[in-house]
Every structure is written in structure tokens, then in C-alpha cells.
Amino acid sequence: MVVMFQEDNGTSSVASSPLQVFSTMSLTRPTLLPSPSSSPFHSLKDLKPEERGLYLIHLLLTCANHVASGSLQNANAALEQLSLLSSPGGDTMQRVAAYFTEALANRILKSWPGLYKALNATQTRTSNVSEEVHVRRLFFDMFPILKVSYLLTNRAILEAMEGEKMVHVIDLDASEPAQWLALIQAFNSRPEGPPHLRITGVHHQKEVLDQMAHRLIEEAEKLDIPFQFNPVVSSLECLNVEQLRVKTGEALAVSSVLQLHNFLASDVTNNNGHSLSGDSASSLPLSNSRKIIDSFLNAIWGLSPKIMVVTEQDSDHNGSTVMERLLESLYTYAALFDCLETKVPRTSQDRMKVEKMLFGEEIKNIIACEGSERRERHEKLEKWSQRIDLAGFGNVPLSYYSMLQARRLLQGYGFDGYRIKEESGCAVICWQDRPLYSVSAWRCKK
Amino acid sequence: MPVDLDDSSTVSGDASVSSTGNQNPPPQSAVKKKRNLPGMPDPDSEVIALSPKTLMTTNRFVCEICSKGFQRDQNLQLHRRGHNLPWKLRQRSSKEVRKKVYVCPVSGCVHHDPSRALGDLTGIKKHFCRKHGEKKYKCEKCSKSYAVQSDWKAHSKICGSKEYRCDCGTLFSRRDSFITHRAFCDVLAEESAKNHTQSKKLYPETVSESQQKSPAAVESPPPSPSPPPVAPSVSVSVESETEPEPANIASSLVLPIQDSSDDPENNTLEVIMEEAPGTIGLNGSNDHSNNSKSVYAALFASSSSSSSPSLYAASSTPSPSLFPPSSSMEPISLCLSTTGPSLFGATIQDPPPPHFLTPLHPPPQPAISATALLQKAAQMGSTGSGGSLLRGLGIVSTTSSPMELSSHEAGFGLGLGLPCSSGSGLKELMMGNSSVFDPKQTTLDFLGLGRAVGNGGNNTGGGLSALFGGGGGMDVFGSGELSDKDTGRRSS
């Protein structure tokens, strides 16, 4: 998205290289903004938390505005103040601001791809697997979201598979054994006895799948139920449904937890009409391009699952402009950070890890990235419902009993502040009033 | 084959019967049998007591040639014809047959008494097997077992073919039992719904107890107020079947509110109110929740030592903790209504035992949540009242120069109205500030936004040139296709 715009900025000057731009920015600092030595700066330090929070919001919006309009100097000045006031160890607003600040800065930096790459070259992009696993586990523990999602997923599967003797479950992101352990136990205690259960887990990291296989098989052996685990080491985009080896005669369940939105990134086209899809070989014209998400959903539909349960973020973080996305995600992540604030002490290292490695990365992706790089394309439940419906699925309303249990879970676990709303048969997990995640169940319409 | 009966007596007379090893072919009659009313055997009928062995044997008549067994002598006789053996079919004796009733040989059994004798041989045999026999037939789908094969067959026909399902999830194959349950279940559901809709009643909360102190605290509030209403007691009693510490579990506890008093968004009370019917309804129908509990409990089972919702952990299998919540995740106290009549009376509103304000709780200062701040900012923006605050902070707005606007962007700005109304407030906050602080600003458009989006394809002059010139109003990110050749460009 390139826009030409003439701005009469008195403080700008003609520059010949990026570095000079930076230097001019520092030399001709706009006198409009307080300089370090002047008293307003000091007073900023003395702001009360509330005022500081408001100021941070203002700064964020201002900065984003500048970034969007290209006025780098102003953006830089705003960033400076933001860096001063925000802190990953401060109160909620400070933390949120810290990560958004970083994301905005990253966004600016990305317009100099060489610079960006050079700076990031020595950073270990491939964080070790155990750290990732740890952070995922922290997210599971600190938030009820995954717990509720697993609960609802399992109940939907149980209910759909009543009377079935052969059950095949496909997990599109097999990272948490907890979910399936619970299902195995539930199947074990159903009145008609356990079915012959097969679970296929898809993940790009082999170690995760190994670990999962180990846990699940151990449990199944303990309970003595016929069980099989098939790992599929593959990223979701490259997945070929043949690899899932769905057999005829078995009842199929598909579980997708926070995965589908990644597909929306794969076939974004910019306004120039060039396709930025992952396989850049094809440059299909916009009108004819089959969206990858649709083909994926179709592929799943082709397997005729008896039930498909989808957990997704329920926020519109896929707006086409940064400003839109910033506004929406400010609310969402403020809510998520608030959750943490009420649950975990500020000094907790674990909390910082979740904030930085999970949410921080999401924020960075939403704000700083574009095109196929921007994978965190969260959308509202309505849009997902439409999309899934178009792919040939019919909604299966979550049963009253499931919702009951989910609510009970939130109560019993002390997750107050959270609520579960029901929206046309789907469950929406909210923090106070802000919808965060949704869980919906679908069956194959033939 | 002659049949002898020893010691048969009339029902009305002395009931001295002894077991015999006799065989009793049932009389075939052409005349329709008169049936007595159930429970009232014919006083003139002959009481027959058969030995357990007799009652249990299936085939009492055995062919001597091939050892094939038959239940009736007549059938055996017909079979003997095939072996070319002499056979004799007994005719029904011409003299009037006395009606026979049968008693169960097991003393202590109801049907041991001749006045409670059963009129049918098959009936007494089945009774004997059912009550005093071993259950050899097991249903393959469920865990039920039967001594009589016909019972077992009849059951397996309907087992699993569920017909009725209550809202609470219980399955019934029979309509009558379903309706009975429904009556009971609905009552509970309605009751909870009534409780829910009544004005701001405190609802019994299930709280997960983690420490030893908790039971003490749990005990103290409930006894002091008026006897707890039906619902909590139901939940307590129901849970106590499976849970060794009933007080711990579904005990309705009212706990102090967190420091959410300044947080306008905190409507946790509503949360509780919403959840309340669910809890009740669930508690009422505890029986079927076995598998669901395991779904549930498995997710949250914890080791006995760790602090966790023992409610769910203990009631399920004591499996090792699958999902031990991290220690920092001790559930904290729940919201307390300070308005309206409390379910437990006003006494609950006394300050709670201090340990419920767990150390986990964030620092005591009234920390305003980020969400609240955003709302406030949005509010300020929409009312335009925030200017003074920000002015006081020495904020000067973004640019000193007016931005040029294109006509279509106004519509775009409107189109950006976020579903959350406060979203637009935030925009206005920005706009508002710029207008306050920058008198040169002409129009309040959503700055930069229209420019950034609407003009796709205007890739003239390379994205970065505008940056260098300082006059570029383009999206900093530019197009993803910017290549290195653009970096050196100057503005023209």
C-alpha cells in the first residue's frame, strides 16, 4: 500500500540516505515536543498511573498515526516518549504500551528491509522448543481459554460420537496432551464403553508430537482402551489431507484451536494485484484466486467429518490499515493483560514470558507485518461462521450441558471477570464485556 | 414317567411342603384357563414346591440315545419316535385337574409363603433364577447383568437405543422414567431461574478451596446465617456422595469483593448471577455426570498436595495431576454483592476472613485496568473533555502543519467506525486532541487513514522517496515489494 502524499512539514529537509534522515531527525527535533531538559519531561515521570495510562494511549495513537502517514520525525518523537513511559514490568497499561511501541518501531524499521534484516540477523529466530512448550503451558495455566475450549471440544466430540465404535480425531495443532487425555478418560467412562480411538496430531515440531504420543499412549494403556496415535510432522499450510489417512467406516472429528486464522495470510493480494501467496509461483488474478482458507476448509469437508470444532480469536485484527488494527488490538490485548494483572503478580517471570513471547509476538505481527508475513489475522466469529458455512458445514449448537460445565469451570477455577456468552450456538469467552475467543462446532452438510 | 407328588397341600391349609424331585408336565387344556388376579392364588389350588435343582434345570427330559435335552416330556416323546424307540404321548387326564401353584423353596423369600405362590411354573423358575441365581448374562454395551436369558435379550435390544434426553444430558430409554426425571429436573431448573431473576440475590458460589484454613472459613459463614436455602443444600448433599469433604465442595461461600470498586467495568456480580442457574442445575443431576465429570475433572485434576480446585480433582479418579495449575494460580475470592438482599442474610457481608485476600492479589493500590483506561480515553475523546488533562501534561499534538485531505476519505473515516463504540471515541480522542492543540488543523479526519488505504496502486516514485523528502505522507511500511533499488531514491 503506497500512498503519495505531500506534506508541508517545516522541519523536514531533503536527505540523500536513510542515515541522514535519522540524523536530521535528531538535530532538528521539533520544538513542539518537550526536550529532555525541560520541566514537562520531569513532570511526566511524576504522573499518576491513571494519567500516565491515558497519556500512553494518546501517544500510541499519535505515533501510529504518524507511522501511517509517514511522518517519521513525529513518530520518532512519540516513540521516544513512549519508551520513557512504558515498561514491560510496570502496570498493565505500561506493559501493553511497551509491546505496541516495539511493534510500531518494528513497523517503521521494516520499511528499510535491509536494515531490518541486518538487525535481526544475529537474533536466534529459532527459539528452542522447550521454551515454546513452556510458554504454551503457561498460557494454558494462566488463562481459562484453552481449558474451556478443550472442554467444549471434547463434549462436542463425545456427544457426536455417541454409539460410534471407531473414532478418529484429527488435531490440527497437537501441542497440548491435556486435551486428549481428558477425552480418553471421558470415552473410557461412557456407558457403552470406549470406542476404538485413533488420534492424528499435526504439528511442525517432531519433539512435541513425540511427547504427546508418549503421554497419550501411556494413559490409554493404563485404562486399557484400544488406542492409536499417528503423528504428522508438517506445518498446516503444507498439509496434505492424504497424510491424515482417514479410513472409511470411522467417525471423524476435527479439532482446530487457534489455527485457521493463519491461513488468511497466505493469499493476501495487495492493491497492485500481485499475489503475495506463499507459493509465489502462481500469481492469480484477484477475482479468480481460490482463497487458501477456503480450499483448506473444502479439503476438510471432503473428509466428511462428523464434527469439527473450531476455536478462534473473536476480534477483528485483520483490518486493512494499521490504525484499524491498532485500535482493535489495543482493546483486546488490554483485556488480556488485565486478566494477567488480576491473576499473577507483577514480578512473576512467567507472566512476563507470556506477555512477551506470546502476546508481544502477536502484537508485533499484527502491527508491524503485512502480506503473507502477517499471520495473526484474527477475525470476528461472524465472519468465521460465514466462511465455514460456505464451505459446506452446518453449525452444531453447543449443548446446554456443555455450556453449563464451561461456566462451572470458570466459577470453580476462580476465573472471575470471565464470562461465556452464547452466540447462535457458539460459545464466546469474554473478559468483562470484551469478546476474546470463540468456540463453535460444525458438522458436514452433504 | 409317572409323576408323583409328595406332600402337596392346599394353599389355604397347612403349608407343609417339602421339596421333591418331581416332574410336572403342564396340562394342555382346550378350554381357556381361568386366570386368577395376580397376588391372589386360587385357594383351592394345589401348592407345589420344587427343588432348586428342578427349578434351575432347563432340560429335564433327556433322550437316552443322543442325550438331547427337552423342556417338555411331550417333545421328548416325539423325538424318541425318530430313534424308533417306543414312545407314549400322555393325554390330558380326563379327571379334572387341580390347579397348581408354585412356591419358591428358599425360605425367607417372599414367594415361599403359599399365599404368595406363583401360578405359573415358568414364572417360578424365572423368579428363582432372578432372585436366587447367579447372573450369567452380561450386557455388552452397559454394565448390567442378568440371570435369565430372556431378560438379558430384552435388555440388549433397547440398550443404547436412547430415546429421550433431558436438558441436563441424562439419557432415558423409557418414556416414563424420562418424564419422572424431567419433573424433578425442571423443578430445579426453574427454581434456579427464579433465584436468578430475583433482585440481586447473592448466589452461592462454588469456591475451590486450596488451603487447610479454607474449611474453617467455609464452616463459619454458613452456620451463622439462616439455614441455607434448598439449592445449596442440594448441592452439598449431592456432592457429598462422591466427595469426602462435603463442606469443601459445593459449599456456598460468599467472599469479599476484590478491589474492583474503582473499576467501573467490573460486573463480576453479573457473572456470578449468570452462572448460578448452571451450578444448581448441574448439581441436581449429579448421577449421569460421571463421564462428563471425567472430561471435566481430567482437565483439572490435580495432585492432592497442590493447591487446586479440589472439587473437581477429588471427585474424579485420583489420577496424578495432569494439569497442575501453577502455584501462582490459586483461585482468588469471588465477588460479593453489596446491594440487595443477600442469599445468606446480611451477616455474610461482614469482613471476610482475611486469608481469602490471598497474597496473590496484586498490589493494593487502586490499579486501574488497561481496559478501563481505554474506555476512559474513548469517553474523553468523544466528549472532548480530555483536552485539559492532556494539555496539562504538556502534550502538543502531532504535526504542526495541516494535512491535506482528499474528499473520499471522510467516508472512509466513517466506515472505520468500530463496532465497539468506544473505538470511535478513541479516534475522536486523537482527532480531538489534534484539534485542540493544533489550530491550523483544518478538518477532523481520521488522520492518515484514508491516505494509507484508499490509494492503492499509487506507487509512483517509489515508496521511500517520500520518506527522504520528508514530505511523504505514505504509509511507512510501503509496499511489500519495495526492493533495494528504491532505497537510494531521492525525493523529487
Side-chain angles (χ1 to χ4, degrees), chain B residues 327-378:
Chain B
S327 56
S328 59
M329 288 307 302
E330 279 173 273
I332 52 184
S333 51
L334 300 170
C335 174
L336 170 73
S337 160
T338 52
T339 68
S342 124
L343 199 55
F344 291 122
T347 54
I348 296 301
Q349 312 209 351
D350 293 337
H355 62 261
F356 276 116
L357 298 170
T358 68
L360 166 63
H361 213 65
Q365 88 287 2
I368 188 164
S369 70
T371 319
L373 278 172
L374 283 167
Q375 310 258 9
K376 192 160 186 178

Side-chain angles (χ1 to χ4, degrees), chain B residues 140-184:
Chain B
E140 50 188 29
K141 293 180 206 163
C142 69
S143 55
K144 288 185 150 191
S145 51
Y146 298 90
V148 180
Q149 193 187 29
S150 51
D151 293 346
W152 172 72
K153 276 191 181 168
H155 165 80
S156 49
K157 272 191 192 170
I158 56 164
C159 183
S161 65
K162 50 138 185 84
E163 297 271 352
Y164 308 97
R165 182 199 284 274
C166 177
D167 278 346
C168 62
T170 329
L171 288 174
F172 296 95
S173 58
R174 293 174 55 129
R175 186 181 160 76
D176 44 10
S177 38
F178 170 59
I179 291 176
T180 316
H181 163 84
R182 268 288 282 261
F184 187 58

Side-chain angles (χ1 to χ4, degrees), chain B residues 14-26:
Chain B
D14 186 18
S16 63
V17 293
S18 60
S19 54
T20 66
N22 292 334
Q23 303 157 2
N24 246 341

Side-chain angles (χ1 to χ4, degrees), chain A residues 3 5 7 50 55 58 62 65-67 69 111 162 178 185 191 321 324 338 343 401 408-409 412-413 416, chain B residues 141 165 208 258 282 292 296 298 309 323 334 360 370-371 376 393 395 398 416 433 447 451 453 471 473-474 476:
Chain A
V3 178
F5 180 74
E7 178 191 72
E50 182 175 327
Y55 189 32
H58 168 81
T62 312
N65 183 29
H66 285 311
V67 168
S69 63
S111 48
E162 244 172 287
Q185 289 174 353
T321 68
E324 279 178 319
D338 279 341
K343 294 242 148 307
Y401 189 56
R408 195 182 186 200
L409 187 160
Y413 232 56
D416 18 288
Chain B
K141 293 180 206 163
R165 182 199 284 274
S208 31
Q258 315 170 20
L282 185 59
S292 35
Y296 198 33
F323 318 110
L334 300 170
L360 166 63
T371 319
K376 192 160 186 178
L393 293 173
I395 298 176
T398 62
L416 282 183
N433 289 334
L447 299 170
R451 267 157 249 121
V453 168
M474 57 155 232
V476 175

